[in-house]
Amino acid sequence: MTSNRRINLVPTDNPVRRRLLQAGLGLAGLQALDPGVSAQGSGRLGFRAIAPSLADAVRVPPGYVAQVLLRWGDPVGHASGMPAFKPDGSNNSAEQALQAGMHHDGMSFFPIDGSSDHGLLAINHEYTDESLLHFQGGKEWGPQQALKSMQAVGASVIEVRREGRDWQVVRPSPYARRITLTTPCRIAGAAAGHVSMQTAQDPLGTTVLGTMMNCANGWTPWGTYLTCEENFQAYFGASTTLEPSTLRKRYGIGQASYPHFRVEPRFDLSKHPNEANRFGWVVEIDPFDPAAAPVKRTAMGRFRHEAAVPHAGADGRVAFYMSDDEPFEYLYKFVTATAPWPGGAAGNRNLLDDGTLFVARFGEGGTGVWLPLTQDVGPLTRANGFADQASVLIDARRAADLLGATPMDRPEGCAVDRTTHEVFIACTNNAERGRPGAKEGANPANPRAPNFFGHVLRLREERDAAGATGFTWRIFLLAGDATLEAAAFKGNVRGDAFGSPDNLFMDARGVLWIQTDMSGGAIGKGPYANLGNNQVLGADPATGEVRRFLTVPRGAEAAGCVLSPDCKTMFINVQHPGERQPSTWPDGGRPRSATVVVRRLDGGIVGT
């Protein structure tokens, strides 16, 4: 157990560290001499770590309880209807449009009147498993099945309240809402109206139907939800042979893994080649206004978005840290042109349309720079295919290539410590790094080739300014299992072994909650044999200690962790139980993704 005695930690930003950085001390030296990590306890982690588990259940430490709150197919509480889930998959598309979608992922909690016991949950629904979604396992496929599938992705907004010890979904609720792949969304920012965003259905290029592949998330200081479109390329195919396109190739577009393009013309690139350009964005949703259209914020760039986590900098502006979840892709940030205005969502409805998009280059010796993705700056010129800022944003990946950004090991979750202002970034893994024919070998910020277990970086902006163009960085955790013989598998974890860090959440006490996403086919096998199912771990940035807090059912991913403002309730999403593993969680029938509430039996703060 960690000692509870108070200690004085050396500040992270101190003259010794600055001298080491200025002297260009190597990565190993920075890790060894990092004054932000102490061998003594900080008292932040007070729970008893649990053992790895392969059980088809959610496991939590002694003194805690886990309660299933909202499953795929449960009604969200919309006043127009609350259809019950049908276990045989026979719910139709109209019913699914009023029910929670599939595969819960990123999530945020929005208090009502400042309460920690009453608020709104905004929940992503990343993708569909067609064999589970439809009657008779989806043996029939046509327009009705495609429509139901489109109604099962996007996001949900639900109202939740604690009644006694247990949490309940409030039904009906004036806030209850589903945003699906058929919901009209406004396109805003520099790419709105651009010729590359115009289609036959939307000749103005300012309105698009829906959002999809909503993976991780973020939020704004003015109280709105940011949902991130990730693997949007999966929907787009072509009924005829297409001319080669550099833009489509850079985003992997054209080889659909879903059959929607065969029955829904807008996903057929042969008929509507620009429709794919209207996905891959950060989408802003006002959870308190069900009548407000979601807005795709194109100034924040187009790629396979994961996080969009804010940092209110010392200069008054807000930076949003964003990642592109694919091997060898990049870390980005968007910085608003001005500080937020008074008036909440209404007073800041256009703030995300004006600002600067940057991409990160990690250098030697623990320093780095942010490179602006701005038309006519550096190589982002008309001669290189960037005629305007909209072209840069739509083709942000290629722009980042030309700028010389650092290729990362699947950057995913981001989190900001509101006390130290450090930014934490999860790099999930990259088995291709360093292999023959791979794009490149190891680099300072991605030191293992191949990287089977992933790692977590910590970054700090110069002067803590949101708009800083320079930063310092170091590796916080190299995930792994210290009992394994291979040095590349051991990692540097002080505590419980884990692999494939994905989503991150930093609570008000400064505990970094890490959620893992090992592939269902890898769980319990090979170098992952000792790790069990995916898990949620608490990490103390001051000491480097890591403890296993929760394990999810077979085949599931741990996702979307968020705590209430008083830190007495944890909401966690269990995504895709049964992925390449046998599961009947949570009800003994078809496996169903779900939101779970975790609390202490004595009503205390989670993690202490």
Side-chain angles (χ1 to χ4, degrees), residues 93-159:
S93 60
E95 292 171 327
Q96 177 60 75
L98 298 170
Q99 299 169 324
M102 292 193 90
H103 296 328
H104 304 34
D105 206 305
M107 175 169 56
S108 291
F109 179 84
F110 297 89
I112 293 177
D113 296 329
S115 174
S116 288
D117 297 329
H118 184 203
L120 304 180
L121 281 176
I123 304 167
N124 284 350
H125 303 292
E126 185 178 5
Y127 68 100
T128 56
D129 184 326
E130 301 298 303
S131 65
L132 292 175
L133 179 64
H134 301 294
F135 182 67
Q136 294 183 338
K139 293 180 180 179
E140 295 183 12
W141 179 261
Q144 289 303 311
Q145 287 75 25
L147 181 57
K148 182 180 179 183
S149 181
M150 289 189 283
Q151 303 289 31
V153 296
S156 294
V157 177
I158 61 171
E159 182 180 354

Side-chain angles (χ1 to χ4, degrees), residues 370-394:
W370 291 108
L371 308 167
L373 278 77
T374 303
Q375 197 262 344
D376 267 344
V377 174
L380 307 185
T381 62
R382 183 179 295 270
N384 284 326
F386 299 106
D388 46 37
Q389 184 62 16
S391 301
V392 174
L393 298 169
I394 293 168

Side-chain angles (χ1 to χ4, degrees), residues 232 236 253 266 269 272-280 302:
F232 63 94
F236 293 94
I253 297 169
R266 68 183 174 119
L269 295 166
H272 300 283
N274 283 350
E275 184 72 8
N277 298 335
R278 294 141 65 87
F279 294 88
R302 175 173 171 265

Side-chain angles (χ1 to χ4, degrees), residues 264-333:
E264 179 59 38
R266 68 183 174 119
F267 300 125
D268 186 340
L269 295 166
S270 305
K271 299 175 181 177
H272 300 283
N274 283 350
E275 184 72 8
N277 298 335
R278 294 141 65 87
F279 294 88
W281 304 100
V282 172
V283 186
E284 185 176 16
I285 297 168
D286 184 349
F288 292 97
D289 185 359
V295 184
K296 300 203 176 185
R297 299 296 184 185
T298 65
M300 302 178 82
R302 175 173 171 265
F303 39 90
R304 296 189 195 175
H305 277 275
E306 274 279 346
V309 176
H311 165 41
D315 56 0
R317 295 180 291 169
V318 183
F320 291 86
Y321 297 92
M322 306 178 293
S323 45
D324 188 345
D325 181 12
E326 193 172 13
F328 304 108
E329 291 300 337
Y330 308 124
L331 175 71
Y332 298 80
K333 77 170 178 179

Side-chain angles (χ1 to χ4, degrees), residues 339-388:
W341 298 92
N348 293 278
R349 61 177 72 253
N350 300 316
L351 193 66
L352 294 180
D353 295 334
D354 189 10
T356 304
L357 180 65
F358 296 88
V359 68
R361 180 191 291 160
F362 291 80
E364 301 281 350
T367 62
V369 294
W370 291 108
L371 308 167
L373 278 77
T374 303
Q375 197 262 344
D376 267 344
V377 174
L380 307 185
T381 62
R382 183 179 295 270
N384 284 326
F386 299 106
D388 46 37

